[in-house]
Amino acid sequence: MSKKGGQKAKLLRICQLLLERTDEEHPLSTQELIRLLAAEEISAERKSIYADMELLQELGVDVQQSKGKGWFIGAREFELPELKLLVDAVQSSRFISRRKSDALIRKLESLTSKHQAKQLRRQVYVDRRVKTDNEGVYYAIDKLHAAIAANRTVTFQYFDYNVKREKVFRREGKRYAVSPYGLIWADENYYLVGREEGGEELRHYRVDKMAALTVTSLPRREDGRLRDFDLAEYGQRHFHMFSGRQAQVRLRCPDRMVNIMLDRFGQEAMLIPDGEGHFALTVDAVVSPQFYGWLFGLGDGVELTAPAWAVEEYREMLRRALGEK
């Protein structure tokens, strides 16, 4: 590198070295900086280093000096605890493949010093959860966000797996045409909520089961009824995102179940005293086998009291499980 070119790059390179190598516990001395710059054919003197640090501070870089030890970056865009949370979220997300997770985590590591990055790498191996093999999910989510923002219809093929782990396309591979309204991250999967062409009901589709996703030039079908559509409420009603019959469900529970019900249905759920040591609540839910399974898992302290058809359906499900006719 020419002397002139080296001097032009000096300030940028000093900033990079500080970001890559320093934190409060690992400062770089002025002499160390001069040596690192010299290795890249960038000349520097002690006096010029001090001037460069002042300029970086004026430019908004939080350069600090540890007395007798050296220079380091103080506040960063992301603090270490925040990066740990992001690493955990990436690592635990089933819809992000293992390869893509590792690539994202490496990028997150670049946002802190190499010393603190080691703490992030240690977290990576704490829990190797089940991850999708469908690398396209990562990019499909981006496409769907773009379609929603642009009010465009999307088309895709939809598949399941057979016992041989082979893709089996629904409708013999015929493409779905859907007006997208939102994306939900629930039960460790991403779902698209939308209305299929020719249909009236909202449905949801797992993004990792989509193939050949295309954003079309056709406008999304708008509906005044969806003006106040609440994605969070939709996700809350659909237990484990399975479809079923929507209804107002009434439950009678012992008082010890208050926290469980508030966790499931939110702090807005109305709890009404119903006899000694019990309360009742009425909630909107999509009644499905998964709803009944959740209910059964709570034990005999929780009673489904309405609607009548759901009570009978639940009883019939339990009778079948016991092999009774």
Side-chain angles (χ1 to χ4, degrees):
M1 183 182 293
S2 68
K3 184 175 180 181
K4 184 177 180 182
Q7 289 304 302
K8 285 185 175 180
K10 186 176 74 163
L11 187 65
L12 174 61
R13 192 65 189 116
I14 289 174
C15 186
Q16 289 173 335
L17 287 168
L18 291 173
L19 288 169
E20 293 167 2
R21 295 171 177 256
T22 73
D23 53 58
E24 190 171 2
E25 301 297 323
H26 303 89
L28 276 177
S29 69
T30 301
Q31 196 58 43
E32 286 174 317
L33 276 170
I34 292 173
R35 178 178 56 79
L36 290 169
L37 290 170
E40 300 180 25
E41 300 182 10
I42 302 174
S43 62
E45 299 176 352
R46 178 176 291 274
K47 186 176 180 180
S48 69
I49 291 291
Y50 279 84
D52 290 329
M53 295 304 179
E54 289 181 7
L55 182 54
L56 285 173
Q57 290 169 343
E58 290 175 10
L59 293 171
V61 182
D62 188 25
V63 178
Q64 298 189 27
Q65 186 176 22
S66 178
K67 194 171 183 180
K69 293 183 179 180
W71 308 93
F72 66 94
I73 297 293
R76 295 172 181 260
E77 192 69 25
F78 289 93
E79 299 298 331
L80 184 60
E82 295 172 328
L83 291 173
K84 288 179 177 179
L85 288 175
L86 292 173
V87 166
D88 283 345
V90 169
Q91 185 59 36
S92 63
S93 298
R94 291 183 58 179
F95 67 88
I96 305 177
S97 70
R98 187 164 295 176
R99 189 170 74 90
K100 182 57 68 175
S101 291
D102 291 342
L104 286 172
I105 290 167
R106 283 195 297 272
K107 291 179 181 180
L108 289 172
E109 288 174 0
S110 71
L111 299 176
T112 189
S113 72
K114 64 177 185 178
H115 310 286
Q116 292 186 340
K118 293 177 182 177
Q119 297 185 45
L120 300 180
R121 283 195 288 272
R122 281 200 294 271
Q123 285 194 209
V124 172
Y125 300 100
V126 170
D127 186 5
R128 281 292 190 182
R129 298 184 175 110
V130 174
K131 307 284 279 184
T132 182
D133 292 326
N134 186 352
E135 186 82 8
V137 175
Y138 185 78
Y139 302 101
I141 291 166
D142 185 55
K143 276 188 177 181
L144 291 169
H145 276 300
I148 293 166
N151 297 321
R152 293 287 183 263
T153 298
V154 298
T155 66
F156 53 86
Q157 293 174 297
Y158 204 57
F159 64 86
D160 298 300
Y161 288 103
N162 62 19
V163 294
K164 296 179 181 179
R165 296 185 63 193
E166 299 168 331
K167 292 179 182 178
V168 178
F169 287 95
R170 298 187 186 182
R171 303 180 184 176
E172 299 181 339
K174 181 181 177 182
R175 297 182 71 82
Y176 290 62
V178 175
S179 291
Y181 297 107
L183 285 163
I184 294 177
W185 184 5
D187 300 317
E188 301 189 61
N189 290 300
Y190 251 110
Y191 296 85
L192 170 68
V193 178
R195 178 172 290 161
E196 192 173 359
E197 183 180 348
E200 291 301 322
E201 294 183 4
L202 282 177
R203 298 186 180 278
H204 51 268
Y205 309 85
R206 263 180 60 169
V207 176
D208 61 313
K209 291 188 175 183
M210 295 178 182
L213 173 67
T214 301
V215 180
T216 75
S217 59
L218 299 174
R220 179 179 69 183
R221 184 169 56 146
E222 299 298 342
D223 188 332
R225 294 173 297 177
L226 296 175
R227 190 174 293 112
D228 299 319
F229 174 58
D230 190 329
L231 273 174
E233 183 183 355
Y234 180 93
Q236 189 180 68
R237 288 200 310 266
H238 287 75
F239 280 71
H240 304 293
M241 297 307 291
F242 280 85
S243 297
R245 183 175 174 183
Q246 187 171 331
Q248 281 201 323
V249 174
R250 188 175 187 274
L251 303 173
R252 185 174 186 269
C253 315
D255 288 346
R256 58 185 169 82
M257 294 284 185
V258 166
N259 290 328
I260 292 174
M261 294 301 159
L262 292 181
D263 286 345
R264 176 68 242 190
F265 299 108
Q267 294 292 324
E268 297 79 18
M270 186 173 294
L271 312 182
I272 302 172
D274 189 2
E276 186 175 354
H278 286 76
F279 66 92
L281 75 160
T282 300
V283 294
D284 290 321
V286 173
V287 181
S288 64
Q290 288 67 35
F291 168 76
Y292 294 133
W294 171 80
L295 194 62
F296 180 79
L298 296 177
D300 58 6
V302 180
E303 182 183 358
L304 174 63
T305 61
W309 61 264
V311 174
E312 183 53 37
E313 194 171 80
Y314 186 35
R315 286 174 179 161
E316 179 59 26
M317 180 179 169
L318 294 174
R319 284 195 289 266
R320 288 198 304 271
L322 292 170
E324 298 178 0
K325 294 182 179 180

